[in-house]
Amino acid sequence: MSINLILLSLIIIALGIIIHKLYFKHDSFDVRESLYQFKEQLIEKFSNDTLERQAGLDRFKDDLLEKQQKSMLELSKVIESRLDAISSKVQENLEKGFKKSNETFQGVIERLAKIDEAQKKIESLSTNVVSLQDVLTDKKSRGIFGEVQLGNLLSSVFGERNEKVYRTQYSLSNGKIVDAALFLPEPIGLICVDSKFPLENYKRLVDATNDEASKALYAKEFSKNVKKHIDDIANKYIITNETADQAILFLPAEAIFAEIHAYHSDIVEYANQKKIWLSSPTTFLATLTTVQSVLLNLERNKYMSVMHEEINKLGEEFGRYEQRWNKLAKHLGTVNKDVEDIHITTGKISGRFQKIMTVDIENNEFLPGRD
């Protein structure tokens, strides 16, 4: 708009100069009048154009303001709806988060309660372990412990008081009482099982506070103790023509059994020479399971032989049944033929009677010489 004013001003100045020159150069009144009118028309036109542009600018400003207000209102509504959606989503996520946090917290409380309970059980177990160590310090208590464990394994596999298979505290002919006796089928027969618990030197052997020299000394003493137990079992519980030529040494502790087989091969070889088999609770349980399977197979074989004998007898009876049936079938065949003959004769007789009863004289029935 400022450029238009400048141009208009320049035009008016130029016209003024032209009019001035013409006025002094020509004295024509009409020319001056025409130029003056042209100047007035030009000014009026410029004023009208200016007013129209101003009015157009005002209308444009009003329209722009109205559109801006509408756009701002719509944008405000969109933003408000988006904020409401975001707020509801945040609220939902917060509620889910609070719920999960609460569940996690409850789970933590439950686990803490279980841990506390487990801690109490561990403390109780520690007390029991200490008391068990106190019990195992006495040789007699250790012996009772081994006997009880041995009896539990036997009863768990064969049942309680299954005297056909085993007996505890069994007396032999030499007056010795073995912890357990297994009654196995021949050729094994009676096999003795005795529990031994060489604990003192073993504890010294595995004690980390002892030096290597002391451990070597305790290892020799430990080997000597176990071999003595092997000798005692071989001398007491292997009796010719009464027991098997072998016996079992039951070690109630898996750790002692593992120690012997891992680091004391001389003990294992000595036991094999004496025909004494070393066993722990785990290996002895496996042995008993094998024995149970063998006994079941023997029992099954015994019944199978009985069944085989009965089946043979049944086969003989069936052979006699077959002979008698064939004989009866022959008699039935003869009787059936006789019945058929009688049936034919009966038919003939019945026909004769029918002819007699109808007395067909017209056809010369029943005359001499006719059938």
Side-chain angles (χ1 to χ4, degrees), residues 303-316:
Y303 285 112
M304 286 296 293
S305 62
V306 174
M307 289 177 61
H308 184 69
E309 183 179 354
E310 294 297 325
I311 289 172
N312 289 335
K313 291 180 181 179
L314 182 62
E316 294 175 358

Side-chain angles (χ1 to χ4, degrees), residues 36-75:
Y36 180 77
Q37 289 177 359
F38 176 74
K39 173 184 175 184
E40 292 296 328
Q41 290 175 359
L42 186 61
I43 293 171
E44 183 179 359
K45 179 67 175 175
F46 177 75
S47 299
N48 292 332
D49 291 341
T50 303
L51 292 174
E52 289 178 0
R53 288 190 182 91
Q54 185 65 35
L57 288 173
D58 292 338
R59 288 194 301 271
F60 175 75
K61 182 176 70 174
D62 294 337
D63 293 340
L64 182 61
L65 181 60
E66 185 178 357
K67 290 181 179 179
Q68 285 180 347
Q69 288 177 351
K70 289 182 179 180
S71 299
M72 290 298 294
L73 182 61
E74 292 176 357
L75 181 61

Side-chain angles (χ1 to χ4, degrees), residues 272-318:
N272 292 336
Q273 292 173 4
K274 294 288 185 175
K275 293 186 177 182
I276 305 298
W277 313 122
L278 305 177
S279 68
S280 66
T282 302
T283 58
F284 188 65
L285 182 61
T287 302
L288 295 181
T289 304
T290 305
V291 169
Q292 185 185 37
S293 299
V294 171
L295 293 176
L296 289 175
N297 288 332
L298 289 174
E299 195 71 15
R300 190 181 296 112
N301 291 335
K302 183 176 71 175
Y303 285 112
M304 286 296 293
S305 62
V306 174
M307 289 177 61
H308 184 69
E309 183 179 354
E310 294 297 325
I311 289 172
N312 289 335
K313 291 180 181 179
L314 182 62
E316 294 175 358
E317 292 293 335
F318 187 77

Side-chain angles (χ1 to χ4, degrees), residues 3-19 35 38-39 42-43 46:
I3 295 174
N4 292 332
L5 289 174
I6 294 170
L7 291 174
L8 182 59
S9 300
L10 291 174
I11 292 169
I12 293 172
I13 293 169
L15 288 174
I17 294 170
I18 293 169
I19 291 169
L35 290 173
F38 176 74
K39 173 184 175 184
L42 186 61
I43 293 171
F46 177 75

Side-chain angles (χ1 to χ4, degrees), residues 87 118 208 214 252 256 259 331:
S87 178
S214 300
I256 297 178
E259 174 72 21
H331 288 296

Side-chain angles (χ1 to χ4, degrees), residues 340-358:
E340 288 179 356
D341 293 341
I342 292 172
H343 181 69
I344 294 171
T345 305
T346 302
K348 290 180 178 181
I349 294 172
S350 177
R352 296 283 183 181
F353 274 109
Q354 288 291 333
K355 290 179 180 180
I356 293 171
M357 292 176 67
T358 56

